[in-house]
Amino acid sequence: MTVEQVTDEQVVIRVLRGDSESFRIIVDRYQQHVYNIGMRFFHREDDAYDFVQEVFLKVFNNLGTYRQKGKFRSWLLKLAYNHGINVIKSSRTEPEFDEFMKPSDAPTPERQHIKGEIEGLLSKEMENLPVKYRVCLDLFFFAGMSFNDISNITDLPVNTIKSHVFRAKRQLRDALRGTMAEEYYEM
Amino acid sequence: MKCNKVMERYCSLDAGENVPLGVRVHLFRCPRCSREAQLLDQELLRVKDTFPFQMEHDASDAIMRHVYLSPVRYSRHVSSFKWMITGIILFAGMMLLPFSQSLSWLNNFYGEKFLFPLHLIMGVMISIYAVIMVGSNLEELKSYVDDKLDKYL
């Protein structure tokens, strides 16, 4: 069985049986996902890298508490999301945390990092959203997760997530209509 | 259904959700909406499994260093229940040995002198098993005995 064929849950069993090196498979699979959450929360690469390390260490230390009923990916991303929220909460005073949860007028790093049409459109849509909803859009569009899975991770209502995703898709559709108009014009 | 309504419904679909029949029929009949849905799907598929922020370097080595330094260690653990069940089966097997035909055959072949070393080996085996069982569940056993003692004292 190759590394790609091994499921997350099988890797977890290996680690829990004492094969700590197998944890590298989990790290390789999800470090990029966790890094994205870190970038959404902290907007700085260094902080996001520290966040990745902290999250994976926390995952390793709490692996014994993982119950194999749900997907491991959801469990890991929920842990990362909650850790991000806790770090922000502990590093700021309460009113500032509320501010953090509101949309910011300041230019976001998405503008500098995200390339391509859809990424650009999504970033435009995301700029008007609080950080926690940006994470939701990331999980839907980039990680391909369902509304229910995202709701389990973020504890946000399914309908709220659904409406944000819907708005982002509609933006994209409007932009694609422009592409279609160009196609017809060329014909 | 009107085009706009169909596309609104199409945009509200969850990841991996089946397209409703009404929407599917409309897409089949309307080339414009069909093209629009196709482009939307293509874009969503293109972006899936990519990342808005790309890591510039791999963090796995640094993470694994932290993991190896972690005080948390996992090891294979067989529950005391499994130990008990296996022990009982082993013990029952030994107890039933005198009633088996194999033992009477061995007895006829080697004579009665054979029985003493056989029982000795079985006794040693069950003792070793008991020692390993207690050794691997020492913490559990200790807390169990402590609980019992607390109740009586």
Side-chain angles (χ1 to χ4, degrees):
Chain A
M1 196 184 270
T2 61
V3 172
E4 287 80 23
Q5 287 172 317
V6 182
T7 64
D8 294 340
E9 288 73 19
Q10 286 169 326
V11 176
V12 170
I13 290 169
R14 279 190 200 173
V15 177
L16 290 175
R17 285 179 178 171
D19 179 10
S20 300
E21 186 55 32
S22 287
F23 191 69
R24 192 182 285 273
I25 300 172
I26 297 287
V27 175
D28 288 339
R29 279 183 193 170
Y30 294 111
Q31 59 175 320
Q32 185 65 67
H33 289 277
V34 177
Y35 178 76
N36 275 300
I37 295 175
M39 280 300 281
R40 287 284 178 225
F41 277 114
F42 308 109
H43 304 296
R44 280 164 53 97
E45 282 180 21
D46 291 347
D47 292 342
Y49 273 104
D50 289 345
F51 175 76
V52 171
Q53 291 191 17
E54 287 165 19
V55 166
F56 277 106
L57 193 61
K58 209 171 172 180
V59 167
F60 181 80
N61 290 341
N62 290 292
L63 215 52
T65 64
Y66 165 63
R67 298 281 165 263
Q68 303 203 356
K69 286 173 190 164
K71 284 182 200 157
F72 176 76
R73 183 170 81 148
S74 300
W75 181 79
L76 185 147
L77 294 177
K78 188 180 176 78
L79 202 142
Y81 181 84
N82 287 338
H83 185 64
I85 296 270
N86 290 337
V87 170
I88 294 291
K89 262 186 187 173
S90 62
S91 64
R92 291 166 194 236
T93 55
E94 209 52 45
E96 281 175 329
F97 176 71
D98 290 341
E99 284 299 311
F100 172 77
M101 285 305 174
K102 288 176 188 162
S104 162
D105 295 332
T108 58
E110 287 88 51
R111 280 193 198 144
Q112 297 143 30
H113 287 82
I114 298 176
K115 293 177 181 69
E117 190 178 22
I118 185 170
E119 291 90 338
L121 282 163
L122 286 174
S123 85
K124 203 177 164 188
E125 179 65 26
M126 284 179 189
E127 276 172 19
N128 302 316
L129 289 175
V131 172
K132 52 183 179 177
Y133 297 120
R134 292 182 201 175
V135 175
C136 292
L137 291 190
D138 274 350
L139 292 175
F140 184 86
F141 289 106
F142 297 101
M145 297 187 96
S146 68
F147 298 140
N148 274 329
D149 284 345
I150 299 169
S151 173
N152 286 336
I153 290 168
T154 58
D155 287 330
L156 293 169
V158 170
N159 282 337
T160 314
I161 297 163
K162 209 171 174 177
S163 75
H164 287 299
V165 168
F166 173 72
R167 262 210 301 273
K169 273 194 192 175
R170 203 166 51 185
Q171 284 260 2
L172 181 65
R173 194 192 86 194
D174 291 344
L176 290 172
R177 272 183 180 163
T179 316
M180 277 175 68
E182 279 172 25
E183 274 179 20
Y184 285 117
Y185 182 75
E186 281 167 11
M187 282 164 74
Chain B
M1 259 196 278
K2 286 182 178 172
C3 291
N4 204 38
K5 208 160 187 177
V6 166
M7 286 315 291
E8 298 257 303
R9 178 75 189 90
Y10 196 77
C11 284
S12 67
L13 290 177
D14 196 354
E17 189 182 337
N18 286 331
V19 181
L21 188 65
V23 176
R24 222 182 296 175
V25 168
H26 180 91
L27 292 179
F28 184 71
R29 291 169 57 189
C30 174
R32 193 168 180 276
C33 287
S34 171
R35 179 74 185 129
E36 214 175 295
Q38 195 189 355
L39 280 174
L40 190 66
D41 283 348
Q42 273 174 9
E43 282 299 303
L44 292 178
L45 198 69
R46 192 178 62 76
V47 84
K48 200 185 156 213
D49 295 328
T50 64
F51 299 100
F53 306 100
Q54 203 63 46
M55 287 179 93
E56 281 177 13
H57 63 265
D58 185 39
S60 58
D61 286 335
I63 293 165
M64 290 310 289
R65 264 198 303 277
H66 281 95
V67 163
Y68 286 124
L69 290 172
S70 164
V72 178
R73 281 278 159 264
Y74 298 108
S75 57
R76 186 187 286 265
H77 181 77
V78 181
S79 69
S80 48
F81 176 76
K82 284 179 184 168
W83 274 107
M84 291 291 278
I85 292 293
T86 314
I88 288 168
I89 291 170
L90 198 70
F91 190 70
M94 287 176 183
M95 288 292 108
L96 290 171
L97 203 63
F99 305 103
S100 73
Q101 283 187 334
S102 314
L103 191 77
S104 56
W105 181 82
L106 284 168
N107 201 8
N108 289 335
F109 199 78
Y110 292 108
E112 286 205 351
K113 283 181 183 173
F114 167 77
L115 286 177
F116 179 72
L118 179 73
H119 286 115
L120 199 68
I121 288 168
M122 286 197 301
V124 168
M125 273 171 66
I126 204 84
S127 304
I128 290 171
Y129 184 85
V131 166
I132 296 171
M133 184 181 92
V134 170
S136 6
N137 294 282
L138 205 59
E139 287 297 315
E140 226 170 302
L141 196 72
K142 192 174 171 290
S143 59
Y144 176 77
V145 171
D146 285 346
D147 282 352
K148 289 283 172 198
L149 283 175
D150 284 344
K151 275 183 188 172
Y152 286 112
L153 296 175

